[in-house]
Amino acid sequence: MRDITDLQARRDAEIATERPIITVRAGELAETIERAVAVLRDAGVEIYERGGMLVRPVHVVEPMTGSVRRPRGAVVLVAVDADWLRVQLATVARWRRYTRGSDGDPQERSIDPPVDIARTIARVPDVGRWPPLRAVVRHPILWPDGTWTGARGYHDGLLLDVDGAWPEPGTTRADAEAALATLRAHVRYYTWAMPADESVAMSMLVTAVARPVLEAAPMHALDAPAAGSGKSLLADVAAILATGARAAVMDYGRDPDEAAKRLDGMLLAGDAVIALDNIEAPLEGATLCQTLTQPSRRIRPLGASTMVTVPCTALLLATGNNLTIRGDLVRRSIVCRIDAGVERPELREIPQDIVAETIERRAELVAAAQTIARAYVLAGCPPVDVPPLGSYREWTRLVRAPLVWVGMPDPAGVIERARADDPSREAVVAVLGAWRAAYGDEAVTAHGAIARAEHDRDLHDALAMVALRRGQIDARALGYWLRAHRDARSGGLTLRLAGRPRGTAIWRVTGPSGGDGGDGGDVPPPRGRAREGTDIELAQTSPPSPPSPPPDAEVPF
């Protein structure tokens, strides 16, 4: 019996030398938690604070399916719970409980990590003073000042999850021009509707690797007249540059509330690239708009009673055939239109497996994308002729302006095309024009306009665009639309609230009675020619695109 006891004592001593001992004593909860946190840190357990909750990075082992699909190898952030934390505490330390025996002598016995200790650490992020995490980055980081970090580990809010040696991006304009040629040659089998569309594609690739250091970036949408044009593949190219895996895909569907919940879940999970695939209905939504312009969003995790503040670090992509973007989302999106020029694009034979080639050349392509931005920054950010773009000043400095600097058209130049195709804008044009033609300078209520519309076909058709409910123009819906578009301007016309006599709003459309109001740009061409006319206008105002690299085959992608 003595031999067995001695053997156990020796084993306990050996284990104790490998792992520190944490002793639990009554009245020392704070000290015990502090000791446990220090041991977790020393052992390198990856725990971070993100938006008021503790998270840990997890690599997806098997592809995830459903309304949100993630490929094998993707990295997601999951909440640290007490059960997982208790296992980690048992792994990194030996736990003892200090008591007094019946004879009053002090005693220590082995125990499992106490549940209350694990629960407290998991639920109270401030206790551990864990490092704040903005995003997991799976390629070297190019910082806004042009410095470059390729070492694995935690760097100023970003967790760099990379292996091996990566080529450092170039620093000169010549390097940037060569890097642009490399990226353009990589997508050589795509055919673009106009030169600015190729610039949007280049912007998507550069933004994919710059996004972790940007406060905000516009959505990059991929549009085509027919299926099989390679939109999803091009989105995967951007995702592979950013993450090493194909894009995480979200079904947007037709219910904006459900779509918002899915998007919130992906933001919580820290997906670096989120693809809204095969959009069929007009794309809009407050959640999308906030995600694209705000550095963070308040989100309520599923099943939780409290809100968390989550950084918006994802690059949002959207794909669709003849994609329509509405309302406030128009100015937050740049659309790349791919036109293969054939009836059945999916039947073409393309001598390139672009996904496999992107994976194989990933380090080279990431370095090329970063070279374009780095060379521009190190050159002192020379002025380029691009107008301001709302919330995207830093994106303009690190992506948009560098592309224009090396000779590409302004990628944001395509916004006017999307604006001309926006159905909500068409409705504003129609209502203001018909209202002005019917009433001139006279002010009228929503009910009065509906009564007039019974005998005025143009006014009826215009109001039906915004307030048709169950086959009739609804006064409540029209009143809501008028309030939402107060002071809206189009074609030299402006919708004004003229007053509220007896509590009822009356409305007037001010401005010239005919024509386009002198600005020539707000009234879209007739339906069916909007895209063509807009393309011609943009082609005339955009700088010429540099010559395309020679294709390796006659059939374009």
Side-chain angles (χ1 to χ4, degrees), residues 170-187:
T171 59
T172 68
R173 178 167 186 147
D175 292 335
E177 291 170 348
L180 176 63
T182 296
L183 294 180
R184 297 184 70 216
H186 188 60
V187 295

Side-chain angles (χ1 to χ4, degrees), residues 111-127:
I111 61 170
D112 292 323
V115 174
D116 58 338
I117 298 291
R119 184 184 298 121
T120 302
I121 296 174
R123 293 183 178 179
V124 187
D126 293 346
V127 165

Side-chain angles (χ1 to χ4, degrees), residues 195-285:
D197 291 303
E198 184 185 18
S199 191
V200 175
M202 295 298 101
S203 169
M204 182 178 66
L205 301 185
V206 177
T207 305
V209 297
R211 185 65 184 92
V213 302
L214 300 175
E215 283 197 348
M219 180 174 72
H220 288 63
L222 301 169
D223 176 36
S229 300
K231 303 179 297 296
S232 296
L233 287 176
L234 192 55
D236 282 335
V237 170
I240 291 168
L241 295 191
T243 68
R246 300 179 83 147
V249 177
M250 185 190 104
D251 289 336
Y252 197 77
R254 294 180 177 273
D255 185 339
D257 291 335
E258 287 301 315
K261 292 176 183 177
R262 295 188 192 113
L263 181 58
D264 284 349
M266 297 187 79
L267 293 176
L268 282 166
D271 287 293
V273 176
I274 300 174
L276 316 178
D277 200 25
N278 292 322
I279 303 296
E280 296 179 352
L283 189 59
E284 59 184 336

Side-chain angles (χ1 to χ4, degrees), residues 444-455:
V444 65
T445 65
H447 282 284
I450 292 173
R452 174 70 173 262
E454 294 179 3
H455 310 288

